[in-house]
């Protein structure tokens, strides 16, 4: 179940934004229209109208709870996306700081450390940001980062303060990398995606308990509810994986490192 749900959500996130929204609308609208047509053909408007008081109480409870859940998940995904983007820039910033400090050293190992940073940055841009979308980290980038850890502490810096600052920047880069990789896995757990799907079905289903005498206004009201739910789910899908989709965090932070650091 977990692989199926996560794979489907990941597939949706990787689609163009307009197609993701279209798929969500189709998945919600198609069964809704069929069920609405079926109910109006089997149950008269007068028969359903007699139960509007009870249906109203049930729909208010279900719709209210689902609305709170949707708002909660939007906040989660927005903050998750923002924090992961901040971690990406923080990691790149730490590497920039290391390059500034390495430029002060005349030790040949400083050049090796600069080369290691350049190689790592290129792997992040060209390999890791594509691989870590929702499956895991890049092994070549992981090995390259370890190489930075091995070389940088050995560089002879002009002062003890510079050495301490170099190690501090290295630790900051490590922490930010861990946060970035954790963020690439997505904010919403499998069980919560299932609850969102069931809640959408229940909310839309209970809305069909209300009958409007004319078919067109009834379809318009239910269709509006379907569209709102689909739009909110679309936002969750788009923001859930920070490195996938039209709102993905780009490689700009590390691209600047590739341009700056020496590569010979």
């Amino acid at each position: 179940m977990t692989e199926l749900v996560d794979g489907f959500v990941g597939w949706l996130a990787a689609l163009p934004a307009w197609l993701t929204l279209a798929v969500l609308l189709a998945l919600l609208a198609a069964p809704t229209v069929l069920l609405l047509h079926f109910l109006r053909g089997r149950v008269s408007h007068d028969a359903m109208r007699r139960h509007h008081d009870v249906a109203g109480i049930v729909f208010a409870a279900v719709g209210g709870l689902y609305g709170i859940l949707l708002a909660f998940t939007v906040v989660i995904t927005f903050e998750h996306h923002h924090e992961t983007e901040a971690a990406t820039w923080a990691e790149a910033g730490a590497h920039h700081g290391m390059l500034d400090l390495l430029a002060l050293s005349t030790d040949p190992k400083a050049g090796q450390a600069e080369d290691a940073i350049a190689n790592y940055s290129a792997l992040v841009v060209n390999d890791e940001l594509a691989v870590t979308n929702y499956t895991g980290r890049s092994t070549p980038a992981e090995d390259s980062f370890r190489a930075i850890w091995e070389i940088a502490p050995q560089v002879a810096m002009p002062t003890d303060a510079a050495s301490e600052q170099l190690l501090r920047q290295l630790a900051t880069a490590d922490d930010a990398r861990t946060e970035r990789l954790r963020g690439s896995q997505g904010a919403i757990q499998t069980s919560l995606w299932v609850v969102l799907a069931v809640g959408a079905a229940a909310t839309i289903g209970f809305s069909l308990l209300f009958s409007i005498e004319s078919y067109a206004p009834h379809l318009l009201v239910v269709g509006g509810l379907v569209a709102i739910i689909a739009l909110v789910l679309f936002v969750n899908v788009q923001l859930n994986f920070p490195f996938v989709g039209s709102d993905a965090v780009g490689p700009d932070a590390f691209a600047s490192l590739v341009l700056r650091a020496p590569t010979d």
Side-chain angles (χ1 to χ4, degrees), residues 51-133:
H51 304 286
H52 277 185
D53 291 343
V54 176
I57 296 173
V58 174
F59 180 73
V62 173
L65 288 174
Y66 189 63
I68 293 172
L69 178 61
L70 284 178
F72 175 69
T73 55
V74 168
V75 172
I76 288 177
T77 53
F78 176 81
E79 290 184 349
H80 174 76
H81 190 281
H82 176 73
E83 290 171 358
T84 305
E85 183 178 17
T88 302
W89 282 96
E91 182 186 0
H95 285 292
H96 274 293
M98 291 173 62
L99 289 176
D100 291 338
L101 292 167
L102 290 170
L104 302 175
S105 175
T106 57
D107 188 345
K109 289 184 178 180
Q112 297 177 19
E114 291 173 343
D115 291 341
I117 292 174
N119 181 59
Y120 171 70
S121 302
L123 285 171
V124 170
V125 171
N126 300 318
D127 183 38
E128 190 162 51
L129 289 184
V131 173
T132 62
N133 45 35

Side-chain angles (χ1 to χ4, degrees), residues 136-241:
R137 66 186 68 204
S138 163
T139 300
E142 184 74 16
D143 294 339
S144 181
F145 188 70
R146 288 200 189 100
I148 299 174
W149 263 100
E150 293 175 359
I151 299 172
Q154 301 177 22
V155 177
M157 299 299 294
T159 64
D160 291 341
S163 296
E164 292 177 3
Q165 184 64 21
L166 180 64
L167 294 178
R168 191 176 298 113
Q169 293 285 4
L170 184 58
T172 299
D174 189 21
D175 292 341
R177 171 179 167 78
T178 301
E179 187 67 24
R180 172 172 63 84
L181 291 175
R182 185 184 299 114
S184 69
Q185 304 303 309
I188 300 180
Q189 302 301 316
T190 303
S191 57
L192 189 51
W193 281 118
V194 173
V195 171
L196 286 173
V198 173
T203 303
I204 295 171
F206 278 117
S207 73
L208 300 180
L209 297 178
F210 297 92
S211 178
I212 299 177
E213 188 170 0
S214 177
Y215 179 76
H218 196 181
L219 181 62
L220 184 62
V221 170
V222 175
L225 177 63
V226 168
I228 291 173
I229 293 176
L231 284 170
V232 177
L233 291 176
F234 167 75
V235 171
N236 280 336
V237 170
Q238 288 293 103
L239 297 180
N240 188 58
F241 297 115

